[in-house]
Each structure stands twice: as structure tokens, then as C-alpha cells.
Amino acid sequence: RQRLRASKAEPQHWPRAWSGVSVKTERVAVSRVILGGSTFSLSMLHALAVKFIYWRLKVPTASAGTADGLIYVLKRALAPIVLTAYMAFNVKALYGVSQGLKPWENAKSRTAKILDRIQYQTFEQSVMAVATVSALSLTNLGDYDLRLLVAHGLLFAAMRPVYDLGYPQADAAPR
């Protein structure tokens, strides 16, 4: 009651006056809620995209947990994933050629550092994506079939270049 009386005497924003929360704490809480909502939204978008691709694929004749299942998944997902990594390497190489560098030389510019990071991380994530779909194709997927793994590989290949577009913006953000 004493806080409520104090808040009437001093006109303040009522949630802070009533709860005793500072402006900085309130801003941090609001930004966490926004970040959480954004993350949830992107996760739902990813799930919907995988589901869309999953239903667009034909039902496989191979079953999970067999060599035929592994071959089915790799025939459909390996090429797009490798193509994504190949494009990352070629973009970096073309940038070096445009700067007049030899293949073994590395530029020191901000763009070269960003392209290096994109190249390395795309390669690493491509290896992990192939390992994931390969390993999961040899396990029991329960109610799902091998289309889920193909959808995951195809979505990785399609969205990795979009993810790469965020590197320059993230690098320019103040820390």
C-alpha cells in the first residue's frame, strides 16, 4: 500500500512504480520476450517448411534402417547439400580472383573475413547435415518415413544461402 501511495504522489509509469522494476530491467525483459517470440516463429516456419516438403515427396519404397533406405536418402539429399558447400567455396574463390589474388593468398578485408567464415561454416554444417541424414536413415523413425530426412537435407540446402546473408549484418551490429 505504501508503494501505491508513493506512486500516486510521484507520477511515474505505473508498472515500474508498482513493481519497483528499473527501466533497464524492463527493456531487457521486453527484448527477451521479442527474441523468444521470434525464435519460436522461425522454428514454426522451419517445421512448416519441412512438413510441406515432406508431403510433396513420393512415399519411398525403401524403409528406414536398411542400406536401401540410406541409398534413397543420399540419392535425393546429398547433391543439393554438396552443391551448397561447392557454391560457398566458389563465391570465395571468385572474390579472390576479382581482387587479383592467387589461390593460396588470402585478402585481409572485412568481406574476405566474412566469406572465409561463410565458407568454413557452410562446409562444416554440410558435413554435419550429411552425417545426420545418413545416420538417421539407418535408425527406426517411428511413424515417419525417409521423406523426413530428405526434406531436412533439401531445406538445409535451400536455406543455407539465406542464412549466409545474415553474416554482413551481424558483423556490422554494435557489440
Side-chain angles (χ1 to χ4, degrees):
R1 289 184 179 182
Q2 193 172 13
R3 261 193 201 161
L4 289 175
R5 286 183 197 146
S7 67
K8 289 180 182 177
E10 302 170 9
Q12 295 178 348
H13 186 259
W14 76 269
R16 282 193 300 272
W18 186 71
S19 65
V21 175
S22 70
V23 175
K24 183 178 180 183
T25 305
E26 185 177 303
R27 287 183 182 157
V28 168
V30 168
S31 62
R32 285 183 179 167
V33 168
I34 291 171
L35 178 65
S38 302
T39 303
F40 176 75
S41 299
L42 289 174
S43 295
M44 288 306 297
L45 180 64
H46 178 266
L48 291 173
V50 168
K51 184 176 181 178
F52 176 75
I53 296 169
Y54 178 84
W55 289 113
R56 300 280 301 171
L57 295 170
K58 293 180 183 176
V59 177
T61 56
S63 61
T66 64
D68 289 339
L70 176 64
I71 292 169
Y72 171 85
V73 170
L74 291 180
K75 279 174 83 174
R76 287 158 180 80
L78 185 61
I81 293 172
V82 171
L83 181 64
T84 303
Y86 177 76
M87 288 180 58
F89 279 92
N90 279 328
V91 166
K92 175 71 169 77
L94 290 173
Y95 176 76
V97 168
S98 72
Q99 300 299 310
L101 299 172
K102 297 197 177 7
W104 56 88
E105 294 178 339
N106 205 358
K108 303 291 183 207
S109 69
R110 178 177 175 269
T111 303
K113 289 177 184 176
I114 290 171
L115 289 175
D116 274 344
R117 196 165 45 192
I118 289 171
Q119 176 186 2
Y120 296 139
Q121 290 180 357
T122 300
F123 177 71
E124 291 168 354
Q125 291 172 7
S126 296
V127 169
M128 291 305 298
V130 170
T132 300
V133 297
S134 298
L136 288 175
S137 70
L138 297 172
T139 63
N140 181 6
L141 298 175
D143 293 338
Y144 295 100
D145 57 33
L146 295 170
R147 293 179 293 171
L148 180 66
L149 305 175
V150 175
H152 172 71
L154 294 176
L155 189 63
F156 168 81
M159 298 312 293
R160 181 61 200 179
V162 175
Y163 181 76
D164 293 343
L165 294 175
Y167 280 104
Q169 286 79 17
D171 209 30
R175 299 185 194 266

